[in-house]
Amino acid sequence: MKVTVLVDNTDGIRVKGEWGLSFFIEYDDKTILLDAGLSDLFAENAEKLGADISSVDIAMLSHAHDDHANGFEKFFELNDRAKLYIAADCYEDCYDRHGLFYKYAGIPRGILKRHNDRIVRADGKMQIADGVWLLAHSTPGLERVGADARMFLRQGLFKFVPDDFRHEQSLIFELDDGLGVFNSCSHAGADVIIKEAQEAFPGKPVKAMAGGFHLFRKDDEYVKEFAKRLSSTGVEKIYTGHCTGARAQAILREELGDRMHDLSAGLEFEL
């Protein structure tokens, strides 16, 4: 399979980046778009990189945050056939807390209603094509992660609860010798997500993990401990960027060696 990074925080040689993430994935006879970044930039970059958005067979939203969902209005303009797979609990309810105030940080308002005929809700472990799966979180207690990250779900006019990432899902590919796992922000922890995949697919090792790891606010010691946990999963290739953060990426390179690869807009790699 071939992966082209349409959007990442880091600029590429041929294309610009933004705070967001978008992958164009060619797997067997299917073309899959994972996330569409913060704006229409994913489509501009796709044209420059020779990635035909109109040819996408399947689109998937990793979670209900604006920096991964905002580009999907443009996607629906450019592609008139592919279904967009979202988590069963993906709604317009994601907020960040700034002091005493909550700021909306979710999917474009009204997009679910405007494109209802193109949207498929996924839950648990769901196959969407030969060798391609979606996997919801099975790990309890993730609301602690949401509270620590100051991320909340709105429940009622004035009620906000810590985000438990019920709207987040992993995209998993069957490879010749194991699994390739994509999770664009890995809020639960990339090590936790790998373990979820291993439990869902017994006997199949996770060979590669790709996505943001949401470490940009973590201190150095936390990142070093995270690197040890990630290493203990046995994953052989790691591709990360976006919300991982440049400082954390430098630590991961030091701790994980040549298993670690930085994402950037325009990067291409094969699994």
Side-chain angles (χ1 to χ4, degrees):
M1 61 183 289
K2 178 184 176 182
V3 181
T4 301
V5 183
L6 300 182
V7 168
D8 179 71
N9 295 22
T10 303
D11 292 347
I13 296 174
R14 294 179 287 168
V15 293
K16 296 294 185 181
E18 66 178 359
W19 180 275
L21 199 58
S22 178
F23 293 103
F24 184 88
I25 303 170
E26 297 164 270
Y27 176 84
D28 288 344
D29 62 344
K30 297 295 184 185
T31 302
I32 298 170
L33 181 72
L34 168 57
D35 291 349
L38 185 63
S39 70
D40 294 352
L41 181 63
F42 86 99
E44 298 172 21
N45 287 351
E47 185 174 3
K48 293 176 182 177
L49 296 167
D52 183 6
I53 297 301
S54 69
S55 74
V56 169
D57 300 298
I58 299 169
M60 180 261 194
L61 176 62
S62 63
H63 63 291
H65 287 168
D66 54 2
D67 50 338
H68 300 264
N70 278 4
F72 275 114
E73 285 287 8
K74 185 66 174 179
F75 171 76
F76 287 127
E77 288 180 23
L78 298 174
N79 184 299
D80 62 3
R81 63 190 184 87
K83 297 293 187 180
L84 171 60
Y85 288 80
I86 66 175
D89 288 310
C90 175
Y91 296 103
E92 299 171 14
D93 57 358
C94 292
Y95 286 74
D96 291 333
R97 189 176 69 189
H98 302 270
L100 299 176
F101 299 95
Y102 294 88
K103 180 181 178 182
Y104 185 67
I107 60 178
R109 300 279 195 185
I111 193 171
L112 299 179
K113 184 176 181 179
R114 286 191 295 274
H115 302 286
N116 180 61
D117 61 326
R118 301 282 299 277
I119 290 172
V120 179
R121 292 188 176 273
D123 198 8
K125 178 182 176 181
M126 178 177 177
Q127 186 171 18
I128 59 174
D130 288 344
V132 186
W133 301 78
L134 301 178
L135 185 66
H137 286 308
S138 57
T139 302
L142 295 182
E143 64 274 5
R144 294 191 299 271
V145 179
D148 183 61
R150 302 192 294 276
M151 295 179 174
F152 291 81
L153 299 177
R154 185 170 185 168
Q155 295 183 347
L157 188 58
F158 299 111
K159 182 180 179 182
F160 294 86
V161 299
D163 197 338
D164 61 0
F165 305 103
R166 65 187 68 176
H167 55 89
E168 185 172 64
Q169 55 186 346
S170 297
L171 176 62
I172 299 177
F173 296 88
E174 295 182 34
L175 306 176
D176 290 340
D177 55 354
L179 303 173
V181 177
F182 289 72
N183 192 300
S184 295
C185 272
S186 307
H187 292 101
D191 56 319
V192 172
I193 289 163
I194 289 173
K195 290 177 182 177
E196 290 178 343
Q198 291 170 334
E199 291 173 358
F201 297 86
K204 293 187 177 182
V206 174
K207 292 293 184 175
M209 173 80 192
F213 292 167
H214 217 269
L215 299 171
F216 69 101
R217 291 193 179 116
K218 300 297 186 181
D219 62 36
D220 291 3
E221 286 306 311
Y222 181 95
V223 177
K224 290 178 181 178
E225 288 300 316
F226 166 82
K228 292 178 182 177
R229 297 197 304 271
L230 192 58
S231 181
S232 70
T233 67
V235 63
E236 296 177 4
K237 292 183 179 180
I238 299 159
Y239 295 87
T240 192
H242 179 42
C243 57
T244 303
R247 180 179 51 79
Q249 286 175 238
I251 295 172
L252 292 178
R253 285 194 298 273
E254 183 177 341
E255 297 292 320
L256 298 171
D258 59 8
R259 282 182 288 176
M260 165 70 183
H261 305 273
D262 293 322
L263 296 177
S264 61
L267 176 72
E268 296 179 352
F269 61 92
E270 294 186 358
L271 298 176

